[in-house]
Amino acid sequence: MKFGVVIFPGSNCDRDMISALQQDLQQEVVSLWHNDSDLPNFSIEDCVILPGGFSYGDYLRCGAIARFSPMMKAVAAFAQNGGKVFGVCNGFQILCEAGLLPGVLLKNSNQQFICKNVFIKGADSVPLKIPIAHGEGRYFASEQVLNELEANNQILFTYCDENGNISDESNPNGAVNHIAGICNATRNVFGMMPHPERATSSILGNTDGIQIFKQLFNLKAVSVVV
């Protein structure tokens, strides 16, 4: 599997993502520029990643301008053909703005930017400690969409405490149903607000993010930097 990381004006987590994939996860990575219009030598076995940051300065809305970039047209076509796409934080916002994932990301319920470690869990996983850093990370969708997400097992991660308990206190941004990450119905487009790429090295004191990449992409050979 090859990973492509899209760089938008205002991206600030692209280097974090590239470093985590290359150094900590031992994966092949290609940098992709927002103004390019194709994905050369990418197959549906590969993955395109939209990293965190403030694409186009978050003007209008987070991700609202980035969705119209030439590269996003190529990413949309790639996803429609079955290619894997993963959006983290601002990347998640872009995927929702582009209609590749349902729902929207609203301002945090406390109306403040939040930067800290939180715990999330999947349907069959133990709690994982993953950092967040966002001001507009409160996932919201209509009741119909939420019902569809639940019925199709599209909710990948929910906020919880260190013991796996789900409560309002463990929900950092007020996301509906405590949702931290989702996928599309065909399970090839993924989005989440927490930053797994910031938790892949023991040098940083946290390797829980490796489990996120392994769960989503079934990575085999993974070495941990010590």
Side-chain angles (χ1 to χ4, degrees):
M1 173 182 285
K2 176 168 73 262
F3 289 88
V5 177
V6 181
I7 302 173
F8 299 96
S11 295
N12 67 2
C13 300
D14 48 299
R15 293 306 309 174
D16 295 355
M17 183 64 74
I18 292 170
S19 177
L21 290 167
Q22 284 183 332
Q23 298 182 28
D24 302 333
L25 300 175
Q26 305 294 300
Q27 301 299 310
E28 179 184 357
V29 186
V30 177
S31 296
L32 302 170
W33 187 236
H34 71 105
N35 218 24
D36 291 337
S37 57
D38 59 5
L39 291 167
N41 302 316
F42 272 74
S43 74
I44 61 172
E45 300 303 319
D46 298 325
C47 176
V48 174
I49 295 183
L50 310 182
F54 305 90
S55 58
Y56 294 90
D58 281 349
Y59 291 119
L60 300 181
R61 289 184 311 277
C62 298
I65 298 178
R67 63 159 293 194
F68 291 108
S69 68
M71 178 52 68
M72 281 306 298
K73 294 179 181 178
V75 170
F78 180 68
Q80 289 165 5
N81 288 328
K84 300 174 184 65
V85 179
F86 182 31
V88 173
C89 199
N90 186 225
F92 187 13
Q93 295 164 338
I94 295 170
L95 290 176
C96 289
E97 286 286 338
L100 294 177
L101 287 175
V104 297
L105 282 307
L106 305 176
K107 287 186 177 180
N108 298 340
S109 56
N110 65 1
Q111 302 295 297
Q112 296 178 356
F113 188 90
I114 304 172
C115 183
K116 65 177 185 178
N117 286 319
V118 301
F119 289 91
I120 62 174
K121 68 176 184 178
D124 302 313
S125 70
V126 298
L128 300 172
K129 184 171 70 173
I130 307 293
I132 59 170
H134 58 250
E136 296 174 272
R138 178 164 56 101
Y139 183 77
F140 179 82
S142 68
E143 184 174 350
Q144 177 182 346
V145 168
L146 293 173
N147 289 337
E148 291 174 353
L149 293 176
E150 291 277 2
N152 297 328
N153 296 317
Q154 291 175 240
I155 299 175
L156 296 175
F157 303 107
T158 53
Y159 295 109
C160 63
D161 65 19
E162 60 184 332
N163 296 313
N165 301 311
I166 296 175
S167 66
D168 290 341
E169 290 72 27
S170 64
N171 187 340
N173 51 37
V176 65
N177 291 5
H178 309 274
I179 291 174
I182 63 171
C183 67
N184 63 347
T186 52
R187 310 190 78 80
N188 66 307
V189 179
F190 317 96
M192 62 187 297
M193 287 309 297
H195 287 265
E197 78 280 6
R198 297 183 181 181
T200 59
S201 171
S202 58
I203 293 175
L204 300 177
N206 188 357
T207 59
D208 283 2
I210 291 176
Q211 299 305 315
I212 302 292
F213 288 100
K214 290 177 71 173
Q215 288 175 33
L216 294 182
F217 306 113
N218 195 31
L219 299 182
K220 300 298 184 182
V222 174
S223 62
V224 179
V225 175
V226 294

